PDB file of all heavy atoms in Angstrom:
ATOM      1  N   HIS A  71       4.423  -1.014 -13.342  1.00  0.00           N
ATOM      2  CA  HIS A  71       5.298   0.019 -12.729  1.00  0.00           C
ATOM      3  C   HIS A  71       5.124   1.375 -13.501  1.00  0.00           C
ATOM      4  O   HIS A  71       5.624   1.511 -14.687  1.00  0.00           O
ATOM      5  CB  HIS A  71       6.872  -0.430 -12.926  1.00  0.00           C
ATOM      6  CG  HIS A  71       7.852   0.557 -12.245  1.00  0.00           C
ATOM      7  ND1 HIS A  71       8.865   0.087 -11.344  1.00  0.00           N
ATOM      8  CD2 HIS A  71       7.992   1.813 -12.226  1.00  0.00           C
ATOM      9  CE1 HIS A  71       9.600   0.931 -11.052  1.00  0.00           C
ATOM     10  NE2 HIS A  71       9.048   2.112 -11.364  1.00  0.00           N
ATOM     11  N   ALA A  72       4.500   2.310 -13.042  1.00  0.00           N
ATOM     12  CA  ALA A  72       4.294   3.549 -13.739  1.00  0.00           C
ATOM     13  C   ALA A  72       4.030   4.731 -12.586  1.00  0.00           C
ATOM     14  O   ALA A  72       3.490   4.469 -11.573  1.00  0.00           O
ATOM     15  CB  ALA A  72       3.001   3.497 -14.644  1.00  0.00           C
ATOM     16  N   HIS A  73       4.623   5.907 -12.930  1.00  0.00           N
ATOM     17  CA  HIS A  73       4.538   7.086 -12.118  1.00  0.00           C
ATOM     18  C   HIS A  73       3.713   8.058 -12.799  1.00  0.00           C
ATOM     19  O   HIS A  73       4.169   8.940 -13.612  1.00  0.00           O
ATOM     20  CB  HIS A  73       5.888   7.632 -11.864  1.00  0.00           C
ATOM     21  CG  HIS A  73       6.991   6.757 -11.275  1.00  0.00           C
ATOM     22  ND1 HIS A  73       7.477   6.866 -10.047  1.00  0.00           N
ATOM     23  CD2 HIS A  73       7.619   5.613 -11.890  1.00  0.00           C
ATOM     24  CE1 HIS A  73       8.434   5.877  -9.782  1.00  0.00           C
ATOM     25  NE2 HIS A  73       8.571   5.246 -10.864  1.00  0.00           N
ATOM     26  N   GLU A 133      -0.348  -0.113 -12.757  1.00  0.00           N
ATOM     27  CA  GLU A 133       0.021   0.298 -11.390  1.00  0.00           C
ATOM     28  C   GLU A 133       0.338   1.714 -11.401  1.00  0.00           C
ATOM     29  O   GLU A 133       1.119   2.209 -12.331  1.00  0.00           O
ATOM     30  CB  GLU A 133       1.172  -0.682 -10.867  1.00  0.00           C
ATOM     31  CG  GLU A 133       1.507  -0.282  -9.481  1.00  0.00           C
ATOM     32  CD  GLU A 133       2.908   0.580  -9.383  1.00  0.00           C
ATOM     33  OE1 GLU A 133       3.228   1.188 -10.398  1.00  0.00           O
ATOM     34  OE2 GLU A 133       3.591   0.455  -8.367  1.00  0.00           O
ATOM     35  N   LYS A 135       2.016   4.931  -8.982  1.00  0.00           N
ATOM     36  CA  LYS A 135       2.783   5.281  -7.806  1.00  0.00           C
ATOM     37  C   LYS A 135       2.540   6.726  -7.467  1.00  0.00           C
ATOM     38  O   LYS A 135       2.400   7.621  -8.261  1.00  0.00           O
ATOM     39  CB  LYS A 135       4.235   5.018  -7.934  1.00  0.00           C
ATOM     40  CG  LYS A 135       4.594   3.618  -8.274  1.00  0.00           C
ATOM     41  CD  LYS A 135       6.228   3.504  -8.623  1.00  0.00           C
ATOM     42  CE  LYS A 135       6.429   2.223  -9.116  1.00  0.00           C
ATOM     43  NZ  LYS A 135       6.144   1.023  -8.439  1.00  0.00           N
ATOM     44  N   TYR A 138       5.840  12.074  -6.057  1.00  0.00           N
ATOM     45  CA  TYR A 138       6.303  13.441  -6.524  1.00  0.00           C
ATOM     46  C   TYR A 138       5.603  14.441  -5.599  1.00  0.00           C
ATOM     47  O   TYR A 138       5.563  15.636  -5.972  1.00  0.00           O
ATOM     48  CB  TYR A 138       5.971  13.706  -7.897  1.00  0.00           C
ATOM     49  CG  TYR A 138       6.660  12.780  -8.939  1.00  0.00           C
ATOM     50  CD1 TYR A 138       6.114  11.916  -9.728  1.00  0.00           C
ATOM     51  CD2 TYR A 138       8.073  12.962  -8.984  1.00  0.00           C
ATOM     52  CE1 TYR A 138       6.795  11.077 -10.579  1.00  0.00           C
ATOM     53  CE2 TYR A 138       8.843  12.262  -9.957  1.00  0.00           C
ATOM     54  CZ  TYR A 138       8.178  11.151 -10.722  1.00  0.00           C
ATOM     55  OH  TYR A 138       8.820  10.502 -11.601  1.00  0.00           O
ATOM     56  N   LEU A 162       4.934   5.713  -2.626  1.00  0.00           N
ATOM     57  CA  LEU A 162       6.385   5.902  -2.819  1.00  0.00           C
ATOM     58  C   LEU A 162       6.790   7.212  -2.219  1.00  0.00           C
ATOM     59  O   LEU A 162       7.412   8.029  -2.858  1.00  0.00           O
ATOM     60  CB  LEU A 162       6.682   5.901  -4.448  1.00  0.00           C
ATOM     61  CG  LEU A 162       8.068   5.922  -4.828  1.00  0.00           C
ATOM     62  CD1 LEU A 162       9.028   4.806  -4.147  1.00  0.00           C
ATOM     63  CD2 LEU A 162       8.230   5.940  -6.340  1.00  0.00           C
ATOM     64  N   HIS A 165      10.696   8.128  -2.471  1.00  0.00           N
ATOM     65  CA  HIS A 165      11.237   8.264  -3.847  1.00  0.00           C
ATOM     66  C   HIS A 165      12.614   8.986  -3.840  1.00  0.00           C
ATOM     67  O   HIS A 165      13.623   8.380  -4.184  1.00  0.00           O
ATOM     68  CB  HIS A 165      10.222   9.160  -4.736  1.00  0.00           C
ATOM     69  CG  HIS A 165      10.401   8.973  -6.216  1.00  0.00           C
ATOM     70  ND1 HIS A 165       9.648   9.599  -7.027  1.00  0.00           N
ATOM     71  CD2 HIS A 165      11.170   8.122  -6.934  1.00  0.00           C
ATOM     72  CE1 HIS A 165       9.924   9.297  -8.374  1.00  0.00           C
ATOM     73  NE2 HIS A 165      10.984   8.316  -8.220  1.00  0.00           N
ATOM     74  N   ASP A 198       6.657   1.144  -1.826  1.00  0.00           N
ATOM     75  CA  ASP A 198       7.792   1.093  -2.625  1.00  0.00           C
ATOM     76  C   ASP A 198       8.828   2.152  -2.042  1.00  0.00           C
ATOM     77  O   ASP A 198       8.458   3.025  -1.449  1.00  0.00           O
ATOM     78  CB  ASP A 198       7.296   1.461  -4.006  1.00  0.00           C
ATOM     79  CG  ASP A 198       8.352   1.092  -5.141  1.00  0.00           C
ATOM     80  OD1 ASP A 198       9.567   0.917  -4.784  1.00  0.00           O
ATOM     81  OD2 ASP A 198       7.891   1.313  -6.313  1.00  0.00           O
ATOM     82  N   PHE A 200      12.732   3.773  -3.339  1.00  0.00           N
ATOM     83  CA  PHE A 200      13.914   3.780  -4.342  1.00  0.00           C
ATOM     84  C   PHE A 200      15.132   3.610  -3.589  1.00  0.00           C
ATOM     85  O   PHE A 200      15.831   4.534  -2.926  1.00  0.00           O
ATOM     86  CB  PHE A 200      13.893   5.353  -5.066  1.00  0.00           C
ATOM     87  CG  PHE A 200      14.885   5.539  -6.068  1.00  0.00           C
ATOM     88  CD1 PHE A 200      15.448   4.401  -6.873  1.00  0.00           C
ATOM     89  CD2 PHE A 200      15.123   6.806  -6.446  1.00  0.00           C
ATOM     90  CE1 PHE A 200      16.227   4.703  -7.863  1.00  0.00           C
ATOM     91  CE2 PHE A 200      16.073   7.114  -7.656  1.00  0.00           C
ATOM     92  CZ  PHE A 200      16.544   5.907  -8.352  1.00  0.00           C
ATOM     93  N   LEU A 227       9.868  -2.754  -4.801  1.00  0.00           N
ATOM     94  CA  LEU A 227      11.241  -1.942  -4.692  1.00  0.00           C
ATOM     95  C   LEU A 227      11.807  -1.381  -5.864  1.00  0.00           C
ATOM     96  O   LEU A 227      11.752  -2.280  -6.856  1.00  0.00           O
ATOM     97  CB  LEU A 227      12.136  -3.015  -3.971  1.00  0.00           C
ATOM     98  CG  LEU A 227      13.246  -2.452  -2.968  1.00  0.00           C
ATOM     99  CD1 LEU A 227      12.708  -1.643  -1.960  1.00  0.00           C
ATOM    100  CD2 LEU A 227      14.036  -3.720  -2.383  1.00  0.00           C
ATOM    101  N   HIS A 228      12.405  -0.326  -5.908  1.00  0.00           N
ATOM    102  CA  HIS A 228      13.245   0.107  -7.083  1.00  0.00           C
ATOM    103  C   HIS A 228      14.558  -0.127  -6.648  1.00  0.00           C
ATOM    104  O   HIS A 228      15.033   0.344  -5.508  1.00  0.00           O
ATOM    105  CB  HIS A 228      13.237   1.607  -7.230  1.00  0.00           C
ATOM    106  CG  HIS A 228      11.970   2.247  -7.858  1.00  0.00           C
ATOM    107  ND1 HIS A 228      10.742   2.291  -7.345  1.00  0.00           N
ATOM    108  CD2 HIS A 228      11.871   2.889  -8.989  1.00  0.00           C
ATOM    109  CE1 HIS A 228       9.948   2.872  -8.157  1.00  0.00           C
ATOM    110  NE2 HIS A 228      10.547   3.252  -9.139  1.00  0.00           N
ATOM    111  N   GLN A 231      19.322  -0.198 -10.083  1.00  0.00           N
ATOM    112  CA  GLN A 231      19.139   0.556 -11.316  1.00  0.00           C
ATOM    113  C   GLN A 231      20.471   1.132 -11.802  1.00  0.00           C
ATOM    114  O   GLN A 231      20.924   0.909 -12.992  1.00  0.00           O
ATOM    115  CB  GLN A 231      18.073   1.531 -11.351  1.00  0.00           C
ATOM    116  CG  GLN A 231      17.953   2.321 -12.599  1.00  0.00           C
ATOM    117  CD  GLN A 231      17.076   3.606 -12.449  1.00  0.00           C
ATOM    118  OE1 GLN A 231      16.504   3.926 -11.394  1.00  0.00           O
ATOM    119  NE2 GLN A 231      16.823   4.349 -13.508  1.00  0.00           N
ATOM    120  N   ASP A 250      12.356  -3.983  -8.947  1.00  0.00           N
ATOM    121  CA  ASP A 250      12.169  -3.263 -10.249  1.00  0.00           C
ATOM    122  C   ASP A 250      13.391  -2.621 -10.685  1.00  0.00           C
ATOM    123  O   ASP A 250      14.127  -2.121  -9.840  1.00  0.00           O
ATOM    124  CB  ASP A 250      11.015  -2.358 -10.212  1.00  0.00           C
ATOM    125  CG  ASP A 250       9.600  -3.099 -10.034  1.00  0.00           C
ATOM    126  OD1 ASP A 250       9.650  -4.152  -9.511  1.00  0.00           O
ATOM    127  OD2 ASP A 250       8.646  -2.457 -10.450  1.00  0.00           O
ATOM    128  N   HIS A 251      13.682  -2.803 -11.932  1.00  0.00           N
ATOM    129  CA  HIS A 251      15.008  -2.243 -12.594  1.00  0.00           C
ATOM    130  C   HIS A 251      15.950  -3.440 -12.745  1.00  0.00           C
ATOM    131  O   HIS A 251      16.161  -3.875 -13.865  1.00  0.00           O
ATOM    132  CB  HIS A 251      15.651  -1.067 -11.934  1.00  0.00           C
ATOM    133  CG  HIS A 251      15.037   0.217 -12.177  1.00  0.00           C
ATOM    134  ND1 HIS A 251      14.887   0.796 -13.443  1.00  0.00           N
ATOM    135  CD2 HIS A 251      14.281   0.999 -11.350  1.00  0.00           C
ATOM    136  CE1 HIS A 251      14.193   1.875 -13.428  1.00  0.00           C
ATOM    137  NE2 HIS A 251      13.794   2.074 -12.121  1.00  0.00           N
ATOM    138  N   LEU A 280      12.744  -2.522 -16.949  1.00  0.00           N
ATOM    139  CA  LEU A 280      12.010  -1.334 -17.350  1.00  0.00           C
ATOM    140  C   LEU A 280      12.937  -0.729 -18.394  1.00  0.00           C
ATOM    141  O   LEU A 280      13.677   0.270 -18.183  1.00  0.00           O
ATOM    142  CB  LEU A 280      11.994  -0.380 -16.232  1.00  0.00           C
ATOM    143  CG  LEU A 280      11.288  -0.822 -14.904  1.00  0.00           C
ATOM    144  CD1 LEU A 280      11.463  -0.025 -13.806  1.00  0.00           C
ATOM    145  CD2 LEU A 280       9.733  -1.180 -15.165  1.00  0.00           C
ATOM    146  N   ALA A 283      13.684   3.019 -19.423  1.00  0.00           N
ATOM    147  CA  ALA A 283      14.509   3.725 -18.573  1.00  0.00           C
ATOM    148  C   ALA A 283      15.910   3.751 -19.146  1.00  0.00           C
ATOM    149  O   ALA A 283      16.639   4.811 -19.239  1.00  0.00           O
ATOM    150  CB  ALA A 283      14.536   3.323 -17.100  1.00  0.00           C
ATOM    151  N   THR A 308       6.632  -0.125 -18.103  1.00  0.00           N
ATOM    152  CA  THR A 308       7.043   1.097 -18.745  1.00  0.00           C
ATOM    153  C   THR A 308       8.006   2.010 -17.898  1.00  0.00           C
ATOM    154  O   THR A 308       8.755   2.787 -18.412  1.00  0.00           O
ATOM    155  CB  THR A 308       6.025   1.919 -19.396  1.00  0.00           C
ATOM    156  OG1 THR A 308       5.216   2.328 -18.176  1.00  0.00           O
ATOM    157  CG2 THR A 308       5.101   1.154 -20.255  1.00  0.00           C
ATOM    158  N   ASP A 309       7.781   1.947 -16.619  1.00  0.00           N
ATOM    159  CA  ASP A 309       8.392   3.002 -15.608  1.00  0.00           C
ATOM    160  C   ASP A 309       7.811   4.363 -16.130  1.00  0.00           C
ATOM    161  O   ASP A 309       8.630   5.387 -15.881  1.00  0.00           O
ATOM    162  CB  ASP A 309       9.830   2.890 -15.654  1.00  0.00           C
ATOM    163  CG  ASP A 309      10.477   3.710 -14.525  1.00  0.00           C
ATOM    164  OD1 ASP A 309       9.864   4.072 -13.489  1.00  0.00           O
ATOM    165  OD2 ASP A 309      11.716   3.905 -14.542  1.00  0.00           O
ATOM    166  N   CYS A 310       6.736   4.564 -16.794  1.00  0.00           N
ATOM    167  CA  CYS A 310       6.343   5.816 -17.288  1.00  0.00           C
ATOM    168  C   CYS A 310       6.515   6.913 -16.327  1.00  0.00           C
ATOM    169  O   CYS A 310       5.776   6.911 -15.195  1.00  0.00           O
ATOM    170  CB  CYS A 310       4.794   5.650 -17.759  1.00  0.00           C
ATOM    171  SG  CYS A 310       4.401   7.339 -18.594  1.00  0.00           S
ATOM    172  N   ASN A 311       7.241   7.880 -16.603  1.00  0.00           N
ATOM    173  CA  ASN A 311       7.482   9.070 -15.588  1.00  0.00           C
ATOM    174  C   ASN A 311       8.134  10.151 -16.479  1.00  0.00           C
ATOM    175  O   ASN A 311       8.732   9.956 -17.585  1.00  0.00           O
ATOM    176  CB  ASN A 311       8.444   8.554 -14.456  1.00  0.00           C
ATOM    177  CG  ASN A 311       9.925   8.499 -14.841  1.00  0.00           C
ATOM    178  OD1 ASN A 311      10.615   9.553 -14.973  1.00  0.00           O
ATOM    179  ND2 ASN A 311      10.375   7.453 -15.196  1.00  0.00           N
ATOM    180  N   SER A 314      12.914   9.862 -16.577  1.00  0.00           N
ATOM    181  CA  SER A 314      13.799   8.867 -17.036  1.00  0.00           C
ATOM    182  C   SER A 314      13.264   7.870 -18.032  1.00  0.00           C
ATOM    183  O   SER A 314      13.900   7.088 -18.572  1.00  0.00           O
ATOM    184  CB  SER A 314      14.398   8.047 -15.867  1.00  0.00           C
ATOM    185  OG  SER A 314      13.379   7.418 -15.049  1.00  0.00           O
ATOM    186  N   SER A 315      11.928   7.990 -18.149  1.00  0.00           N
ATOM    187  CA  SER A 315      11.241   7.010 -19.192  1.00  0.00           C
ATOM    188  C   SER A 315       9.771   7.595 -19.526  1.00  0.00           C
ATOM    189  O   SER A 315       8.837   7.079 -18.971  1.00  0.00           O
ATOM    190  CB  SER A 315      11.124   5.718 -18.484  1.00  0.00           C
ATOM    191  OG  SER A 315      10.543   4.773 -19.441  1.00  0.00           O
TER     192      SER A 315
HETATM  193 ZN1  LIG M   1      10.195   3.893 -11.229  1.00  0.00          ZN
END
Side-chain angles (χ1 to χ4, degrees):
H71 185 136
H73 307 249
E133 180 257 20
K135 301 176 195 299
Y138 293 116
L162 181 59
H165 198 185
D198 192 345
F200 187 19
L227 208 56
H228 285 68
Q231 175 189 3
D250 297 22
H251 284 293
L280 310 167
T308 63
D309 196 15
C310 184
N311 78 81
S314 59
S315 183

